[in-house]
Amino acid sequence: MTSSSSHASLIKELSNIVGDKFTLSEPSKMQPFTKGFRFGAGEALAVAKPGSLVEIWRLLEACVAADVIVIMQAANTGLTGGSTPDGKDYDRPIVIINTMRISDIQLIDSAKQIVGLAGATLFGLEDVLAKYGREPHSVIGSSCIGASIVGGICNNSGGALVQRGPAYTELSLYAQIDDQGRLSLVNNLGIKLGDSAEEILNNLQNKNYSESDIEYGEKRASDNEYHARVREVDADTPSRFNNDGRRLYEASGCAGKLAVFAVRLDTFPIPEKYKVFYIGTNDANALAQIRRDMLSTFKNLPVSGEYLHRDCYDASKKYGKDTFLVINKLGSKFIPKMFAMKRSVDRIADKLSFLPNKFSDRMMQYMSYLWPNHLPKRMDDYRERFEHHWIVEMSGDGVDEAQQYLTEFFSCHDGDFFECTKDEGEKAILHRFVAGGAIGRMHAMNADKLGAVMTIDVAFPRNEKEWFERLPKELDEQIAVKLYYGHLFCHVMHQNYIMKKGVDAKAVKQKILETFDARGAEYPAEHNVGHEYFAKDALKSFYKELDPTNSFNPGIGKTSKCKHWH
């Protein structure tokens, strides 16, 4: 059988499993799945969109039998290209299995835990848990608005919440390919679901199990040690980062080297008493001192502490306005629909040569100009007065702790703070969280004047005091725009650069990374290696152990793309 006929035969088999409507093989229709949210792009033989866990299993069986590469994909919101092909130098055809049609979330133990199926999202989980007075491990993502639960686990994503650490579980259900090329299903969910693969998957999807089938053992469903780790402000290592071997376990950190069907996670009570404090200062050292004091002396840990530099405040206000308004007015559940509409518009626009690149971004940007200023006056006043902005959330008795501490601190230090109203607090947090997408929009609108975009998420040692970057003059002169935001309590910073025209972005990035190495920092901190960073030895060994034939997501972490890692 020729290569083209065998490919056609496989595509037909995939179509028989999921239906013609959910099997894509035309390059233009596959582009939203073969091109990364911000980074990476490649080619695929087909994209299959299963509607059930059993369909995923049957797709995997077909792909393994055909000896093709499988890339498991959910929301495709990653920033380092980790859920798409990258380049054309693979030794086998690629099939992408997109799981977003399988979005069920199941509650167990009176909603104290959940089981999230392959395409379930954080937005969906927040909505499900709200009526029970509980919330997920992570809330709306700093850059990955619309991200999936399983994607977060597979990438040890960090999130904003100080008390909870990276997304992590030791309870999951996944498929694995052994060194002989045999596919098997591994049920480590801690729920008795049967024996055969299809029986297990059907029983889970239909929630055909009882309370007596659920095991409550010692395996973790969250990083329940992080709250103590982040308090160690004199430690010379970062609190969390993607290459951290202490949080690599089966699905957790697997980066698509397993086909993950479901994960089981802890949930957390929504605090009854809650307050957002908005802090402004022109002295980065003041924020460093507040961070140390709150983590080491407060009885109650902060909920979150989101930093935003003034330049990033401006970019987010101008270029994140449409996303802000959609979430603020229509709710987070509308975001997937907005992304789907953007993809459709861009697919059509790409076929019309007279329309500019990134047409949907340009259209939405111009539409956003029609809406009046969306930010509270007190925030804009602080933007005029202060370079550094910090949004600190406290709960319970921590509210009074923070109020007393900040009043005393700013009586003798540069800066000021105010207690947000409910509306101000929600808008401050949302303004910070649309910053990641705003950077891409800013570049799209000014592509003719600017060079390449470069993003780094870096975890500084917990004892690092000089957290705010001051670049050497020879590097600074090559950069047109620097935009900084991050999770300051965890010492995780998202540092975004847009080069001047003609500048070699890779060379500049390498020099910046060398400065991080000298300071004991780790990168990436929470967006994972994708196809942008090198996987260090511990992470590379973990990948090889999970996937000895290198059939799932090969090339991740700049590793081999060839079968058996050759």
Side-chain angles (χ1 to χ4, degrees), residues 236-238 459-461 464 515-522:
D236 60 3
T237 56
F460 291 111
E464 175 65 78
T515 69
F516 293 159
D517 292 336
R519 297 167 65 184
E522 292 279 356

Side-chain angles (χ1 to χ4, degrees), residues 129-151:
L129 291 177
K131 66 185 72 172
Y132 296 91
R134 301 187 73 84
E135 62 186 6
H137 158 273
S138 301
V139 293
I140 178 174
S142 61
S143 308
C144 307
I145 292 175
S148 71
I149 298 168
V150 167

Side-chain angles (χ1 to χ4, degrees), residues 320-341:
K321 187 177 182 180
D322 56 317
T323 305
F324 179 105
L325 292 171
V326 166
I327 297 175
N328 184 245
K329 303 298 182 183
L330 301 178
S332 58
K333 65 181 67 176
F334 192 77
I335 286 294
K337 295 179 182 178
M338 185 180 81
F339 282 164
M341 287 190 290

Side-chain angles (χ1 to χ4, degrees), residues 118-178:
T121 65
L122 284 173
F123 281 149
L125 182 54
E126 282 187 81
D127 286 344
V128 167
L129 291 177
K131 66 185 72 172
Y132 296 91
R134 301 187 73 84
E135 62 186 6
H137 158 273
S138 301
V139 293
I140 178 174
S142 61
S143 308
C144 307
I145 292 175
S148 71
I149 298 168
V150 167
I153 291 295
C154 291
N155 290 299
N156 283 145
S157 299
L161 302 180
V162 178
Q163 302 155 353
R164 299 174 195 172
Y168 181 76
T169 187
E170 296 168 1
L171 300 163
S172 61
L173 174 66
Y174 58 87
Q176 187 170 27
I177 300 173
D178 67 16

